[in-house]
Amino acid sequence: MKLGTPAETVSGENRVAMTPESAVQLQKLGFECAIQTGAGKAAGFADKDYKAVGVEVVKTASALWKDSDIIAKVRQPSAAELKRLSKGQTLISFFNPAGNEDGMKLAEKQGVNVIAMEMVPRISRAQKMDALSSMANIAGYRAVIEAGNNFGRFFTGQITAAGKVPPAKVLVVGAGVAGLAAIGTSTSLGAITYAFDVRPEVAEQVESMGAEFVYLDFEEEQKDGAASGGYASVSSPEFREAQLAKFRELAPEVDIVITTALIPNREAPELWTEDMVKAMKPGSVIIDLAAEKGGNCKLTVMDEKIVTKNGVTIVGYTDFPSRMATQSSTLYATNIRHMMTDLTPEKDGKIKHDMEDDVIRGSTVTFKGKVTFPPPPPKVQAIAAKPKEVKPELTSEEKAAAEVAAFRQASKQQFTLLGAGAVLMAIIGMYAPASFMQHFIVFALACFVGFQVIWNVSHSLHTPLMAVTNAISGIVILGALLQVGSSNWLVLALSAISILIASINIVGGFMVTRRMLAMFQKS
């Protein structure tokens, strides 16, 4: 079968659904590959690059659509493009099935099998095909770069001979894939980064990336994002009011706001109101990644950059991935290639459209002349995080009772061990010679003391393995020191070597431990 990639017809779209690298992998699956002349030029891939890996370069779009069994593209196809398809052909692209009823009906009429890349279910096995996450990752990164381009200061704070520059304060609203990418980029550039999300499991992820999570003084059970495909659920009116109140408090402080909040098949929630924009400092920047769905900011204008009367720049671009066309094309083409791998289990260049497969069924919009959207929920779903169990705080009497019980248990264990040791010593003493017992008792006491000393050292000082090796080395040094005064030159030499090697082991162990601890310290 032949897989063809046409040039994108949407104005300003620079991405392409096939790269020379992905074409090589598709050919290994048994497919012939074709691409329209100039389709990859805006993304940095010349026709000669495709020819070099055996891809057929077709001059016209009509010839490509006619000769290809499978069409892979980026943007939602237009009505004219869908009419070019014939019965039995397969289309793989973004399709927006929830808002493209006319397109689905036309695809159904044409008898086309449509796989919508945004419908890939969010389960572990499908992550490699998750084009939405790939594009959101790029959008989050680019949003920070775009903010920096429109912001008049450094992100990081500096102290120079010319004066002190405070660090920029960035607020990221929504900590999904795009939000986390924005957080990572912002913190790496040195900005003080705050983040907010309604999902309870996100706080730890945000803080692990060096940002500060914005908490609300409001208690409401939020549905775990894993149970809703990784997206936030709709909040109550009371929660929304508490959320907006917190944003009004932060608005005069932050320099840059990046909003990423989206709920599937709904208009974007309005989170940054007009009065918040008015409260921001002149020169502040708002990047609205939800502009395509109406925007999280009240004043956002889709595909435009505006400046308010109080000097706040609001960017409503919807083509952030396309502004990094080489990177986004590479990732999207890889998503397509992985989808084709699942569709071609025999690697014979023939599609096996298995509607029993969770990923393929979930992504399929039309199949054999019938609309199959919306899909049933996947058989295997992401496991939602269990709520943390809050242990009740003990009273002073309960704490005292627990300490007494622990002391008694420890004492019982110690007396048991000492009693067993005394009995063992008595049995050995009944049969062993006196000279052996003298050395054996010293050895046993040394082991006991060494064990007690090392075992009670805090684990943060060195690892248990280091503790044991240092204890053994300490015993070796102690024994060698007792033999240093020997008149026998062989004993003297062995003692000196033992002291040297054991000392190296101890010092080296603590040096390694020091380096390990330094890895977890903030400079």
Side-chain angles (χ1 to χ4, degrees):
M1 298 179 81
K2 181 182 286 189
L3 189 150
T5 298
E8 296 299 320
T9 57
V10 175
S11 177
E13 180 55 72
N14 299 320
R15 290 172 291 177
V16 65
M18 183 195 296
T19 64
E21 183 182 355
S22 72
V24 172
Q25 300 301 322
L26 290 168
Q27 287 167 347
K28 288 179 181 178
L29 293 173
F31 293 101
E32 295 177 26
C33 295
I35 193 165
Q36 185 181 340
T37 300
K41 185 178 179 181
F45 304 109
D47 289 345
K48 64 178 182 180
D49 297 330
Y50 290 101
K51 289 179 179 178
V53 295
V55 177
E56 179 188 356
V57 178
V58 181
K59 288 185 178 181
T60 63
S62 57
L64 181 88
W65 286 76
K66 182 180 179 181
D67 295 340
S68 300
D69 302 293
I70 308 151
I71 296 292
K73 66 188 304 293
V74 181
R75 287 278 191 160
Q76 175 182 325
S78 63
E81 288 176 318
L82 284 172
K83 287 176 182 177
R84 284 177 170 171
L85 291 166
S86 57
K87 185 177 181 180
Q89 280 185 298
T90 299
L91 171 68
I92 304 175
S93 73
F94 285 114
F95 200 81
N96 185 26
N100 187 18
E101 190 174 347
D102 292 340
M104 280 197 295
K105 287 181 179 178
L106 184 53
E108 180 185 25
K109 181 181 176 182
Q110 298 288 104
V112 179
N113 302 328
V114 176
I115 293 177
M117 290 303 289
E118 67 266 58
M119 292 302 297
V120 171
R122 288 196 162 180
I123 57 177
S124 298
R125 185 170 69 83
Q127 286 180 353
K128 59 189 177 184
M129 304 170 232
D130 190 352
L132 273 183
S133 292
S134 297
M135 298 303 103
N137 182 27
I138 294 170
Y141 172 86
R142 180 69 190 198
V144 177
I145 303 302
E146 204 70 40
N149 186 46
N150 288 279
F151 186 56
R153 295 206 325 264
F154 293 132
F155 268 61
T156 185
Q158 292 189 10
I159 299 176
T160 69
K164 182 180 179 181
V165 180
K169 291 184 177 180
V170 178
L171 172 64
V172 179
V173 180
V177 176
L180 290 174
I183 290 165
T185 309
S186 176
T187 53
S188 66
L189 289 174
I192 297 173
T193 308
Y194 304 94
F196 174 81
D197 197 286
V198 299
R199 294 168 295 170
E201 72 272 19
V202 168
E204 290 181 2
Q205 297 177 39
V206 167
E207 289 165 357
S208 70
M209 299 183 76
E212 182 181 333
F213 192 77
V214 177
Y215 292 94
L216 297 183
D217 295 328
F218 186 88
E219 291 187 6
E220 177 178 275
E221 280 295 321
Q222 287 292 323
K223 190 176 180 182
D224 193 301
S228 56
Y231 293 100
S233 54
V234 180
S235 304
S236 67
E238 294 79 12
F239 184 89
R240 173 176 163 76
E241 287 306 314
Q243 178 179 269
L244 295 180
K246 190 66 177 180
F247 290 162
R248 287 189 180 95
E249 180 185 324
L250 291 171
E253 300 177 21
V254 295
D255 302 298
I256 295 169
V257 176
I258 298 173
T259 63
T260 70
L262 284 171
I263 299 172
N265 305 322
R266 290 174 177 266
E267 287 296 301
E270 184 186 317
L271 301 176
W272 208 259
T273 58
E274 188 172 353
D275 63 300
M276 295 177 196
V277 177
K278 290 179 179 178
M280 295 178 75
K281 294 172 285 189
S284 299
V285 178
I286 299 172
I287 306 291
D288 195 340
L289 292 182
E292 196 167 10
K293 292 288 186 179
N296 295 138
C297 177
K298 177 70 174 178
L299 303 180
T300 298
V301 179
M302 191 171 80
D303 289 322
E304 290 186 24
K305 178 175 75 173
I306 64 169
V307 180
T308 63
K309 291 180 180 180
N310 62 321
V312 177
T313 301
I314 303 175
V315 178
Y317 300 151
T318 59
D319 61 346
F320 285 107
S322 185
R323 289 168 182 259
M324 298 183 67
T326 304
Q327 184 65 72
S328 54
S329 297
T330 301
L331 293 182
Y332 183 71
T334 302
N335 296 140
I336 293 281
R337 190 256 296 178
H338 283 302
M339 176 62 77
M340 295 307 302
T341 302
D342 268 32
L343 287 166
T344 322
E346 302 298 327
K347 297 184 180 180
D348 56 357
K350 296 179 181 178
I351 283 182
K352 182 183 178 183
H353 206 119
D354 183 8
M355 292 296 275
E356 295 300 316
D357 184 286
D358 272 350
V359 178
I360 295 171
R361 174 64 188 90
S363 308
T364 303
V365 175
T366 62
F367 182 62
K368 291 185 177 179
K370 293 182 180 179
V371 172
T372 59
F373 176 85
K379 303 182 191 82
V380 180
Q381 296 190 0
I383 300 171
K386 292 181 180 179
K388 293 182 179 179
E389 294 182 5
V390 180
K391 294 183 179 179
E393 191 173 346
L394 299 175
T395 63
S396 55
E397 291 81 6
E398 289 173 332
K399 287 180 181 178
E403 288 174 1
V404 170
F407 176 75
R408 285 178 178 172
Q409 181 65 22
S411 300
K412 184 180 179 180
Q413 289 179 346
Q414 271 195 330
F415 282 120
T416 302
L417 288 172
L418 287 172
V423 171
L424 182 63
M425 285 289 183
I427 294 171
I428 294 173
M430 290 172 63
Y431 300 99
S435 59
F436 172 80
M437 284 303 298
Q438 182 181 357
H439 290 87
F440 183 72
I441 290 172
V442 170
F443 174 76
L445 289 173
C447 289
F448 178 76
V449 173
F451 175 80
Q452 290 296 326
V453 170
I454 297 300
W455 192 257
N456 289 322
V457 171
S458 172
H459 290 295
S460 64
L461 296 180
H462 49 70
T463 64
L465 179 62
M466 295 291 184
V468 174
T469 56
N470 285 351
I472 295 171
S473 298
I475 295 169
V476 171
I477 289 176
L478 183 62
L481 287 173
L482 294 174
Q483 301 299 326
V484 166
S486 174
S487 57
N488 189 318
W489 68 269
L490 182 59
V491 174
L492 183 63
L494 291 174
S495 300
I497 293 171
S498 300
I499 293 171
L500 175 63
I501 293 173
S503 300
I504 291 172
N505 188 45
I506 292 173
V507 173
F510 279 107
M511 287 181 68
V512 170
T513 302
R514 183 182 179 84
R515 289 188 179 185
M516 289 172 64
L517 291 173
M519 292 169 63
F520 299 96
Q521 292 175 343
K522 288 187 177 180
S523 58

